[in-house]
Amino acid sequence: MDVLGYIISKYNYWGFVLLMMVGMYAMIVKNNLMKKILGMNILQTAIILFFVSTSAKTKATLPILEHGHGDHAIHAVDYINPLPHVLMLTAIVVSVATLGVALALALKVYKEYGTLEEDEIFEAQKKKLNPEMQEGEVNS
Amino acid sequence: MSSHFPAIIIIAPLIAGFLISLSSLANRRFCFPIAVAGLGIAFYSSIGLIVSVFEKGVIQYRLGGWAPPMGIEYRIDYLNAFVLIMVSGVAFVNIFAVKKTAERDLPEKLGPFYSLYVLFTAGLLGITATGDAFNLYVLLEIAALTGYALIGIGSGQNSGRAAHSALNYIFMGTIGASFYLLGIGYLYIATGTLNMADLARVLPSLFGSNVIMAAFAICMTGLFMKMALFPMHGWLPNAYAYSSPAAASLIAPLTTKVMIYVMIRICLFVFTPAFSFEFINIKGAMVIVASVAIVAGSLFALSQKSLTKMLTYIIVAEVGYMVGGFWLGNKEGMTGSILHIANDAVMTLCLFLAAGIFAYKIKPRGEILIKDLGSMFSRMPVTMGAFVVAGLSIIGVPPACGFFSKWYLILGGIKAGQYWFCAALIFSSLVNVILFFRIFESAFFGSTCSNHEHGSAHETGHHNDHEAVIDEAPASMLVPLLVSTAMLIVLGFGTKFIVTQIIEKAISGMI
Amino acid sequence: MNEIYSIQPFLGVLISASAVLFIITAKRPNIREGWPFLFAIINFAVIASMLPAILAGNEITFTVARVLPGVAIAFRVDAMGLLFGLVSSSLWIVTSAYSIGYMRTLSEHAQTRYYCFFALSLSAAAGVAFAGNLFTMYLFYEMLSFATYPLVTHHQDDEAKKSGRKYLGYIVGTSVGLVLPAMIFIYAGTGTLDFAPGGILSWAGFKPLLICGLVLMFVFGFAKAGIMPFHSWLPAAMVAPTPVSALLHAVAVVKVGAFCIFRTLTHIFGVDLLGSTGLDFLGLHSINMGTVVAVIASFTILTASLIALSQDGLKRRLAFSTIGQLSYIILGAALLSPKGITGGLLHIGMHAFGKITLFFCAGAIFVTTGVKNISDMTGIGRRMPWTMGAFFVGSLSVIGLPPCGGFISKWFLLVGTLESGQLAFMAVLLSSSLLNAAYFLPIVYRAFFCTEEESKFEKKIDEAPSWCLGPLLFTALVSIALFIYPHIFLTLAQMAAKTITGGG
């Protein structure tokens, strides 16, 4: 089988896979929390696009019967499946909400540590822990 | 009225959530009663549900009257009626216990806190009750988003770390949920339906398809992430340990257990056992993964100095118990796994409530270390007593309930010939003995006395008897703790009933 | 044989446990110490009230709750269980009296806690004695482990901490690590855990290798019996106050361990199965599991006696003596002959009275003079003649010489070795007796017979407080009385042996 043809004929799916990988890469590798959040959003978007794309059809329309029953035969091929699109409305809401919570938390982290770089945050956490421990030893 | 219990159980806390938000604008005092009312109704409905499941069998409830597979169906059988009681019961009991902590630690955020609390519960109840794979995703995200926020609220010294670990939890949780969604997408492409019962009917003819295989793999990976199965547990310890004790005692007992329920639901009632256990051959591998999770979780727990951190790693090990038990693929293992969902929820609740009380009384602004618990037996005998019972239950000492689920898990392991799994369980029990007796010992011997705290050496030996003043937590925290402790014993004695009347019926025809 | 359904066994367990409530709420020390005494007597009365029915050949059963399919928390009192129940409950009365003298004289701290956990431990011991199935026995076995922890670590100092760790490490480690899986194996194979005189495994169709493994898991798993190499918790646990050592570490805890092994060997595996299951030893000739266990027990007997010789701490010497004597009981069961089994069971009772006398004496010496080591006890007989006299009687009983009860049990054990034709074990028993004499009699000798210069005590009678002295004299007298009137114990033991071996 012609591999190239195979890849090209499903180019949209390959695109989503690529997007997903980009998102995952950012979430795993990046040091900056904001970049991770962006990566997360890309990942979610990739999945949304995947769903939308599954029911996309050229030369088809919404499944609303203009003429009612009777006059025409109804061909499934003329209509797209609206369900994945509808589902993705929910998924979009979810992804926006996740983004909101993530940003709020990132803001809180920034207020606490003055940075969004993860290594600096760990550094700050260690620093914060150590004087605390020394203090604790004095106390106890 | 009672025929609408499947909807009420979710809608009551949902509405309560909004009412709390509204009323907190007017007067914060209303928040708590509304939350109690919402959770109380949910708890009452869950009892009503199991009663009617007993009477009439499986309940199929059509949300909004739309017939499945088009409409969303809520389907209550023995399995999720049991889990629903567990979820709503834990949430209901816990809310009384966290009132004091919440009022002291989060005085400004009481409204959001209670509102998130009930929404989180609503999400988990929904996950459990729904019979629709996509609806499950939405509710999964409701529970997850509220969970992130609850953890992120944090308190005291830990608030920065709480936010940071909540953020990490978001990343892992979102990847997990996205994977689940992707898997559902594959299933939908292959079958054209999202209703679980419908899927179970259509899928057997498609077993050979790669799409189904991929859907299964992706779904499971997502769920494993969400349930913190080792090695994907990284988010859990920090998130639970640094959150406010008020949030931890709700989230820790429930999240992972409900995710395990979802795994069981998807494997048994969507893909059907014929696919999960026979068609694809991952049983043995999963049991090994679970055994590794048990051993690793136990060892990590052993290396912790902080009480809550230790408890969180115990959760990681317990996830291994349940996953391993399920993938043994026989009746005993499955029984043990399902039984352990409830038992472990109550045990974890009990431990976290006790930890919350310690935090409230002795160290409101930081992590409680094990050495901070010196001479606790004399200072807080009731709390410590409850903690001992819960600890013994985790170790697996009869007649506490932890023993019985472990019993079934080991029995399943023996019957399936998976001796490594049995060995891992025994190993974890032994490690738990060390973990808890380290705490009991420090609480019994009063290690704080032997430090420099009291200066002179002559006081160290016998003084804690004369000096220790009983300084117990307020009754509002103690009563829920004692209720959950009593439940540990009641569940233990009720094992036969639960196993023969609920679990056997729940999985009948599956194995 | 009839079964009587009665709550008596459950009461025997419940009464001691409920003493805790009264002890906690008692305001004054006199009342607080009165309660254990009272409850001990009631408890003994309840347990003794089962005696006529058992002697008439009945069994008393009671089911508390059915917790798993095929498994219940259930009691079944037979001759063997009652024998052990009688021993432990009667000695509780004596120890309650002794505790008062000991704890008050030394003005120990946390006495309320002490009496509470003491009562709980006794309750657990009774639970083990009356358990009707392996699960119930395991439940009370674990309860006993945890209830005795605060007693062992009573002094709450670093030494107690260390010993406490060792104690729990061995006891809980082995029970969770070995007994629990073995128990589940049996349940997986048979679907039941109920004790039956002929064993329940005969029809399970286990492979011989598995059976051997299970036997060893039980023998080593019930580490309270102190079978080597899981014995070293016992000397460590001697940091506990002496009444604790006396009742728990000479009677209740260790005997519970031995009793559990005895029970599983005879009522789970069954004498026939043990006798017919064997391993091909090095391909040469097959030895049965009974012999394997007997060899393990013999090793412990001899080694413990040898170690005891070298101990200077009196309580440590007694501890090693206990380790050795416990294995007599196991050996009795492992001989698989009626006389051997009778002897093993009798030894539970006979050794208990002898050894508790010895421990009481050790405590009395410590209370009065503060001396713990044998080398410092030269001439102590002049100061405490009654105590040392009782000590002499106790040692005679443990060595197994007339006119003490220990003689009878040892006699039956020796006859048992003859009956089963395993003379090697007879040699073990006899040489152990010699060793026992070698480590006990010099103590007595040096206590009474020494020159004025050697003596470390003035020749002035200064005995222990009467709350201490009374109990130890009483148990010494009982030791002698058991030689003359062993009937109750003997009948019970013979009845048990008869049912176990199937009327033989």
Side-chain angles (χ1 to χ4, degrees):
Chain A
M1 181 169 166
D2 181 8
V3 179
L4 203 62
Y6 177 72
I7 293 177
I8 289 173
S9 71
K10 310 234 168 166
Y11 68 93
N12 48 343
Y13 294 104
W14 290 110
F16 311 139
V17 169
L18 197 69
L19 269 181
M20 258 188 89
M21 291 304 130
V22 169
M24 295 265 285
Y25 173 80
M27 290 173 78
I28 293 165
V29 176
K30 289 295 172 192
N31 189 31
N32 186 299
L33 289 177
M34 192 52 79
K35 286 181 183 165
K36 285 191 172 200
I37 294 173
L38 289 177
M40 177 180 84
N41 223 26
I42 293 172
L43 172 75
Q44 288 177 311
T45 313
I47 291 168
I48 293 169
L49 286 175
F50 162 75
F51 265 86
V52 170
S53 165
T54 55
S55 69
K57 228 185 247 179
T58 44
K59 292 182 189 163
T61 179
L62 298 171
I64 298 169
L65 302 183
E66 285 177 7
H67 307 288
H69 297 288
D71 289 354
H72 304 274
I74 297 165
H75 300 293
V77 95
D78 295 334
Y79 301 100
I80 60 168
N81 180 358
L83 193 69
H85 296 179
V86 178
L87 295 181
M88 283 311 108
L89 280 180
T90 321
I92 289 167
V93 173
V94 167
S95 104
V96 170
T98 316
L99 185 65
V101 177
L103 287 175
L105 287 171
L107 202 61
K108 199 171 167 190
V109 170
Y110 187 76
K111 272 186 192 153
E112 193 79 19
Y113 300 107
T115 175
L116 282 176
E117 299 294 328
E118 213 156 23
D119 49 359
E120 289 170 23
I121 293 172
F122 283 128
E123 203 68 19
Q125 282 172 350
K126 253 186 225 154
K127 238 182 234 163
K128 205 179 159 196
L129 205 65
N130 280 339
E132 200 180 284
M133 275 168 77
Q134 282 157 9
E135 190 189 281
E137 270 162 27
V138 172
N139 277 347
S140 59
Chain B
M1 174 74 185
S2 67
S3 65
H4 287 292
F5 274 151
I8 290 170
I9 194 170
I10 289 118
I11 289 172
L14 217 50
I15 292 176
F18 294 118
L19 287 181
I20 291 167
S21 286
L22 284 180
S23 67
S24 72
L25 300 175
N27 190 336
R28 280 197 211 108
R29 271 183 315 172
F30 295 134
C31 299
F32 181 72
I34 300 175
V36 169
L39 295 173
I41 295 172
F43 185 48
Y44 176 74
S45 324
S46 71
I47 294 172
L49 277 175
I50 203 161
V51 168
S52 53
V53 167
F54 271 123
E55 283 168 0
K56 292 174 244 163
V58 177
I59 303 170
Q60 287 163 302
Y61 182 84
R62 296 166 178 188
L63 225 55
W66 297 91
M70 298 303 145
I72 292 170
E73 179 197 27
Y74 275 26
R75 194 186 176 89
I76 315 290
D77 55 14
Y78 285 98
L79 178 60
N80 54 10
F82 179 57
V83 180
L84 282 175
I85 286 216
M86 183 273 283
V87 173
S88 56
V90 167
F92 183 62
V93 169
N94 184 51
I95 193 155
F96 296 100
V98 301
K99 182 169 181 276
K100 287 267 180 195
T101 318
E103 279 170 1
R104 199 184 60 182
D105 289 359
L106 318 160
E108 303 297 315
K109 298 173 186 160
L110 271 186
F113 174 77
Y114 284 124
S115 158
L116 288 170
Y117 186 109
V118 288
L119 285 177
F120 177 78
T121 315
L124 292 182
L125 289 169
I127 295 172
T128 315
T130 188
D132 184 280
F134 185 79
N135 193 234
L136 197 152
Y137 165 75
V138 175
L139 290 156
L140 199 70
E141 286 288 21
I142 290 180
L145 284 169
T146 46
Y148 306 144
L150 276 174
I151 287 171
I153 286 181
S155 71
Q157 278 174 338
N158 284 331
S159 80
R161 306 196 84 165
H164 185 222
S165 36
L167 204 48
N168 276 327
Y169 180 21
I170 291 193
F171 296 145
M172 291 297 276
T174 306
I175 295 180
S178 301
F179 270 46
Y180 174 78
L181 181 61
L182 195 60
I184 295 300
Y186 274 48
L187 276 184
Y188 182 71
I189 293 171
T191 62
T193 178
L194 288 168
N195 181 283
M196 290 181 185
D198 216 27
L199 278 168
R201 210 178 52 245
V202 179
L203 277 175
S205 58
L206 295 167
F207 275 178
S209 154
N210 282 337
V211 180
I212 302 301
M213 210 73 100
F216 184 79
I218 296 174
C219 262
M220 283 300 131
T221 314
L223 290 177
F224 290 152
M225 274 186 175
K226 294 227 73 153
M227 73 175 70
L229 179 66
F230 182 86
M232 291 174 271
H233 66 286
W235 56 269
L236 186 143
N238 282 346
Y240 289 1
Y242 297 125
S243 63
S244 158
S249 61
L250 173 71
I251 298 174
L254 294 180
T255 316
T256 51
K257 266 98 256 168
V258 171
M259 286 307 135
I260 284 159
Y261 159 79
V262 174
M263 176 187 77
I264 296 176
R265 171 66 66 188
I266 299 281
C267 286
L268 289 188
F269 295 86
V270 175
F271 286 95
T272 69
F275 182 81
S276 314
F277 293 141
E278 282 152 35
F279 191 79
I280 49 168
N281 195 11
I282 59 166
K283 264 201 297 189
M286 283 313 301
V287 173
I288 290 172
V289 169
S291 312
V292 173
I294 294 172
V295 173
S298 305
L299 289 179
F300 279 127
L302 204 52
S303 67
Q304 300 305 316
K305 283 186 182 143
S306 138
L307 176 69
T308 32
K309 269 274 179 66
M310 183 198 102
L311 296 181
T312 57
Y313 278 107
I314 290 180
I315 297 178
V316 173
E318 303 276 332
V319 168
Y321 282 33
M322 288 174 270
V323 172
F326 175 75
W327 286 103
L328 288 173
N330 57 15
K331 196 177 138 204
E332 287 80 12
M334 196 83 66
T335 309
S337 182
I338 296 171
L339 192 60
H340 205 62
I341 289 182
N343 290 353
D344 192 41
V346 183
M347 293 190 287
T348 319
L349 172 71
C350 203
L351 289 174
F352 271 84
L353 283 181
I357 290 179
F358 294 141
Y360 183 80
K361 289 303 281 187
I362 61 173
K363 216 171 181 185
R365 299 252 157 242
E367 272 180 283
I368 326 161
L369 304 180
I370 290 170
K371 66 176 166 113
D372 294 333
L373 295 176
S375 62
M376 268 297 142
F377 273 112
S378 353
R379 269 182 68 187
M380 298 164 78
V382 180
T383 314
M384 209 52 216
F387 189 83
V388 168
V389 175
L392 292 184
S393 182
I394 293 255
I395 294 170
V397 178
C401 61
F403 173 81
F404 295 98
S405 32
K406 204 166 267 179
W407 173 277
Y408 272 106
L409 290 172
I410 297 178
L411 193 63
I414 290 175
K415 291 220 165 155
Q418 295 278 8
Y419 297 110
W420 285 111
F421 180 63
C422 304
L425 286 172
I426 299 284
F427 174 78
S428 136
S429 303
L430 292 175
V431 172
N432 287 342
V433 172
I434 301 174
L435 290 176
F436 282 99
F437 269 88
R438 198 168 56 173
I439 297 174
F440 301 161
E441 191 184 85
S442 130
F444 183 67
F445 284 95
S447 61
T448 48
C449 318
S450 53
N451 289 347
H452 321 291
E453 196 174 334
H454 298 284
S456 50
H458 71 270
E459 277 186 331
T460 47
H462 294 177
H463 86 270
N464 51 31
D465 247 22
H466 313 294
E467 204 178 277
V469 183
I470 291 183
D471 180 24
E472 267 295 358
S476 73
M477 300 180 93
L478 281 183
V479 172
L481 178 68
L482 292 179
V483 168
S484 57
T485 313
M487 275 312 291
L488 290 175
I489 307 292
V490 172
L491 280 175
F493 276 97
T495 304
K496 192 185 178 196
F497 174 81
I498 296 171
V499 168
T500 54
Q501 298 300 313
I502 299 175
I503 299 179
E504 272 185 15
K505 289 179 184 167
I507 57 173
S508 70
M510 287 293 161
I511 304 296
Chain C
M1 185 169 64
N2 296 317
E3 276 188 15
I4 303 170
Y5 193 81
S6 156
I7 199 171
Q8 276 160 310
F10 190 41
L11 281 182
V13 175
L14 218 53
I15 286 174
S16 5
S18 58
V20 171
L21 294 178
F22 291 88
I23 297 169
I24 288 180
T25 48
K27 289 273 181 290
R28 291 211 312 274
N30 280 343
I31 299 174
R32 181 186 66 195
E33 280 143 42
W35 285 123
F37 208 63
L38 184 69
F39 275 92
I41 291 171
I42 300 175
N43 195 33
F44 179 68
V46 169
I47 292 176
S49 72
M50 289 187 276
L51 192 57
I54 301 292
L55 286 176
N58 303 309
E59 288 190 349
I60 299 175
T61 60
F62 185 75
T63 304
V64 183
R66 296 182 194 285
V67 285
L68 287 171
V71 176
I73 297 180
F75 297 105
R76 170 182 287 270
V77 187
D78 55 5
M80 181 176 159
L82 189 67
L83 180 115
F84 181 45
L86 278 176
V87 170
S88 70
S89 64
S90 59
L91 287 177
W92 186 26
I93 304 177
V94 186
T95 317
S96 296
Y98 184 81
S99 291
I100 297 171
Y102 185 89
M103 299 299 273
R104 282 199 178 175
T105 314
L106 294 178
S107 49
E108 289 276 357
H109 71 296
Q111 293 195 19
T112 309
R113 183 185 75 208
Y114 169 86
Y115 286 110
C116 285
F117 282 101
F118 215 114
L120 272 182
S121 308
L122 260 301
S123 163
V128 170
F130 301 149
N133 56 41
L134 196 52
F135 169 76
T136 313
M137 197 166 87
Y138 181 79
L139 190 158
F140 285 106
Y141 183 89
E142 291 287 32
M143 177 176 157
L144 183 61
S145 313
F146 295 121
T148 43
Y149 176 77
L151 295 174
V152 170
T153 56
H154 184 82
H155 292 307
Q156 290 179 290
D157 51 17
D158 283 340
E159 200 193 348
K161 199 180 203 168
K162 256 186 227 146
S163 304
R165 281 185 191 170
K166 203 167 192 179
Y167 179 70
L168 271 179
Y170 274 91
I171 302 269
V172 181
T174 49
S175 72
V176 173
L178 295 172
V179 175
L180 181 63
M183 186 161 80
I184 299 177
F185 254 108
I186 289 173
Y187 182 73
T190 62
T192 178
L193 290 173
D194 290 344
F195 293 133
I200 56 169
L201 279 187
S202 39
W203 62 79
F206 282 165
K207 291 197 186 76
L209 191 64
L210 180 59
I211 293 182
C212 298
L214 289 175
V215 169
L216 294 182
M217 278 167 101
F218 279 116
V219 168
F220 290 117
F222 289 120
K224 285 191 179 121
I227 295 270
M228 286 180 179
F230 295 110
H231 67 284
S232 62
W233 61 269
L234 214 165
M238 288 299 150
V239 296
T242 306
V244 175
S245 310
L247 184 63
L248 299 179
H249 293 104
V251 186
V253 171
V254 292
K255 293 285 157 57
V256 160
F259 182 82
C260 285
I261 297 179
F262 209 101
R263 186 64 109 176
T264 29
L265 287 182
T266 53
H267 284 70
I268 292 287
F269 294 98
V271 173
D272 293 339
L273 188 72
L274 288 174
S276 61
T277 312
L279 282 176
D280 279 336
F281 194 63
L282 297 174
L284 293 174
H285 88 134
S286 173
I287 50 172
N288 68 35
M289 272 327 278
T291 316
V292 172
V293 176
V295 168
I296 295 170
S298 307
F299 174 78
T300 307
I301 292 175
L302 292 178
T303 318
S305 302
L306 286 172
I307 298 176
L309 275 178
S310 67
Q311 299 297 320
D312 189 35
L314 181 56
K315 276 174 79 177
R316 280 184 71 84
R317 186 174 287 193
L318 292 177
F320 276 102
S321 159
T322 306
I323 296 172
Q325 298 286 326
L326 286 168
S327 285
Y328 279 43
I329 301 170
I330 316 291
L331 181 62
L335 289 174
L336 306 178
S337 73
K339 288 284 189 295
I341 289 171
T342 313
L345 284 174
L346 263 184
H347 204 63
I348 291 182
M350 300 305 183
H351 174 250
F353 280 94
K355 190 46 76 58
I356 204 167
T357 312
L358 295 176
F359 270 108
F360 281 169
C361 293
I365 293 169
F366 177 69
V367 164
T368 328
T369 65
V371 170
K372 282 178 175 173
N373 288 339
I374 296 166
S375 49
D376 298 331
M377 288 180 190
T378 317
I380 198 168
R382 298 158 188 236
R383 183 163 164 196
M384 304 173 73
W386 290 105
T387 308
M388 288 316 287
F391 191 91
F392 180 58
V393 173
S395 13
L396 286 184
S397 183
V398 173
I399 298 165
L401 292 174
C404 291
F407 172 73
I408 297 178
S409 54
K410 215 160 236 182
W411 174 264
F412 273 97
L413 284 171
L414 288 170
V415 177
T417 57
L418 286 174
E419 199 176 48
S420 65
Q422 292 168 306
L423 291 181
F425 298 122
M426 186 177 213
V428 168
L429 286 172
L430 290 177
S431 47
S432 162
S433 290
L434 278 180
L435 286 168
N436 293 347
Y439 60 70
F440 275 137
L441 293 183
I443 305 176
V444 182
Y445 178 80
R446 286 166 65 82
F448 286 105
F449 304 103
C450 62
T451 59
E452 289 292 335
E453 299 87 62
E454 280 172 346
S455 172
K456 299 189 174 170
F457 298 92
E458 288 174 35
K459 199 174 175 182
K460 189 180 125 215
I461 292 180
D462 180 17
E463 269 290 359
S466 49
W467 278 109
C468 284
L469 194 59
L472 68 90
L473 290 177
F474 177 74
T475 50
L477 284 176
V478 173
S479 280
I480 297 175
L482 282 175
F483 174 72
I484 310 166
Y485 304 107
H487 301 93
I488 293 179
F489 285 170
L490 189 58
T491 322
L492 286 174
Q494 278 171 334
M495 282 173 66
K498 203 173 162 192
T499 39
I500 290 166
T501 52

